[in-house]
Every structure is written in C-alpha cells, then in structure tokens.
Amino acid sequence: MDKISAAADMIAQSKKIVIFTGAGISTESGIPDFRSPGGIWDRFDANAFTYPKFISSQANREMYWDFSKTIWPAIAQAEPNAGHYAVVELHRMGKLDCVITQNIDFLHQKSGVPEDKVIELHGTLKGVTCLECDRKYPREQIQKRLIGSAEKVPKCDSCGGILKPTTVMFGQPMPEWETNEAETRSARCDLFLVAGSSLVVYPAAQMPVVAKHGGAKLIIINLTPTPHDHYADVVINEKIGPVLSEIVKQARAKLKN
Ligand SMILES: [Zn+2]
C-alpha cells in the first residue's frame, strides 16, 4: 500500500486527530519562514529581535516595529491554501480534536477552523498588547498609526506603556496555558499528524513523543526529514497542500464505502 493510502486509512479509523503545523504549511500561502535565513533577514537582523532586547532598548524596539510594519501587509493579505482547507475538511468530518500551530499568521482560523480549536504555541501577530497595563489592540489599528504618523514605537493610549505584538519572541517564556493544553491534547489523541514542522524547537519537538506514548498513530508530512521520523507510522517528504488534500479526500472516500 502506498503512503498516502496508508495515511488515509489511519484518518478513516481515527476519532480524535491532532494536527500539528509549522512554517511549512504557510510557505504555500506565500509567507516566508521567518526562522530561515534569506529574504527579509537580508534587511533585518533576527538576532536583534529577542524579548530581552525588546524590553530593554528603545533602538531595538524601533527596529522591531520597522520590521513588523514591513511584514504586516503580507501576513494580513495572505490566504489559506489547500493544506489549511484539508484541515478544515477534517473538522467537517467530525474528526478534528484541535490544531496546534507554531505559526503566527492565523491562517487556520481564516480557513474556517473554529478559534477554540486552534492552539497557538507562539502567539499571533493579529494582536498587540501593552506590557504595562495589558490593554489589547488590533494589529491593524496599530499599523494605521505607524503609517500615518512619525511614531516609531507605538505607545499605550491608556498608560503610555510599551506596546508589543502578541507573539512569543525569541527569549520569551512559552505561554503556559497553550503549552499545557497542547500536551494534554497530544497525550489523548488517537492520531497525531505533523504538517510542515521540522520538530526541532521546544515544545514542538516533544509533542509527537507525548502522542506516541499515549498510543496514537503518528504521520509526519514535511519537506525535509525530522528527528522523529523513526517514531512515525508514515513519513512523507513532500509539499503539504497537494499531499494532505489527497490523503483527506481518500479518507472520505473510504468512509463512504
Ligand atoms: Zn497600557
């Protein structure tokens, strides 16, 4: 049996599927992998964008917000691709427990996965928060302020505090609720499917192991090999969109027969 058919069988037989996604699913929507060298990093230094530097240096915050202002339109306008819609189809089939994502582009929600089924491990670019009083702002509103004025670092309207996007920066602790929830869901699913993550950074690296120990099957779809391939029941090294669509299509056909 080929790998796609084997993966489709596993989906057809599962009731609680956890989908784990990383940058690889969003590159097909034109969003670059911000952790990879090249492109945007020729203009900006990724090493400058750590949480300790952001909170301690005005110059660093100016650089960060200049970067954020530059990339925001591409993120805001990006559309979900076939990979995202295949996940929505699993939700419609009643098989999706949740999506755990490392992505900050909210394309899963845009594609139609209910918000309460998406766990964002690295936060989201959609929001901005005040580090002093915790007031929240929509990112789009802050973008208008940055473009329409000489303001280089936006300040909180309520308290004048530092504003920061609601993403998890390098050097910032992982969000506790999301990390715990992701582990709990991974432990009790019956199928864990990785789509577009190299599974190298914590806690991503640990979730497939948690799922496997809980008795789940493991499918990994990623362009390149991952450190967990030896645990997996099926490994497919191809682009996410076409492969995942085909797997879900075949799973649906198997259920109808
Ligand atoms: Zn404030």
Side-chain angles (χ1 to χ4, degrees):
M1 195 186 336
D2 68 52
K3 289 175 171 188
I4 288 184
S5 180
D9 270 347
M10 286 177 202
I11 285 179
Q13 287 157 14
S14 299
K15 292 190 173 72
K16 284 163 82 84
I17 301 176
V18 169
I19 305 287
F20 187 98
T21 64
I25 195 170
S26 292
T27 48
E28 290 164 50
S29 289
I31 294 179
D33 180 355
F34 293 116
R35 285 168 192 259
S36 296
I40 194 84
W41 296 126
D42 294 340
R43 255 190 77 193
F44 296 97
D45 176 11
N47 296 321
F49 299 147
T50 67
Y51 186 63
K53 286 177 184 169
F54 184 86
I55 53 174
S56 63
S57 150
Q58 172 72 14
N60 190 279
R61 287 193 287 277
E62 281 186 16
M63 211 167 22
Y64 180 85
W65 275 109
D66 183 30
F67 164 74
S68 191
K69 186 173 74 178
T70 307
I71 63 163
W72 172 251
I75 304 265
Q77 288 156 24
E79 292 294 338
N81 65 63
H84 296 101
Y85 289 119
V87 177
V88 176
E89 191 55 34
L90 289 176
H91 167 63
R92 292 202 186 111
M93 289 160 69
K95 288 182 175 288
L96 181 70
D97 182 69
C98 69
V99 178
I100 304 170
T101 187
Q102 297 173 283
N103 299 334
I104 54 173
D105 52 35
F106 49 90
L107 286 178
H108 286 297
Q109 294 92 326
K110 227 184 215 180
S111 68
V113 178
E115 288 192 15
D116 63 3
K117 285 202 166 188
V118 183
I119 300 172
E120 296 170 311
L121 285 179
H122 296 160
T124 172
L125 259 188
K126 208 176 181 180
V128 173
T129 187
C130 172
L131 293 179
E132 297 296 325
C133 74
D134 220 28
R135 180 170 168 186
K136 305 279 189 288
Y137 299 80
R139 179 65 181 77
E140 198 56 47
Q141 183 186 330
I142 300 301
Q143 185 76 359
K144 283 185 188 133
R145 273 170 60 174
L146 288 171
I147 289 172
S149 74
E151 192 177 25
K152 285 186 174 165
V153 177
K155 286 197 174 62
C156 177
D157 289 336
S158 304
C159 76
I162 296 170
L163 295 187
K164 175 190 167 296
T166 51
T167 49
V168 179
M169 283 183 172
F170 296 101
Q172 190 174 4
M174 292 297 300
E176 203 173 330
W177 185 87
E178 282 81 358
T179 308
N180 290 340
E181 189 70 8
E183 280 194 25
T184 304
R185 302 290 192 104
S186 300
R188 65 180 193 211
C189 69
D190 56 7
L191 174 63
F192 191 94
L193 189 154
V194 177
S197 172
S198 303
L199 302 174
V200 285
V201 297
Y202 175 86
Q206 154 187 345
M207 299 298 170
V209 182
V210 169
K212 223 26 200 168
H213 284 172
K217 299 268 189 210
L218 175 61
I219 299 171
I220 298 178
I221 310 170
N222 195 47
L223 265 185
T224 53
T226 81
H228 291 313
D229 289 358
H230 62 284
Y231 273 111
D233 298 278
V234 174
V235 177
I236 302 175
N237 292 131
E238 284 179 54
K239 279 184 149 187
I240 313 302
V243 169
L244 194 52
S245 313
E246 184 58 28
I247 290 172
V248 173
K249 191 176 124 194
Q250 289 192 18
R252 219 175 34 190
K254 286 173 198 281
L255 287 169
K256 278 180 187 153
N257 291 335

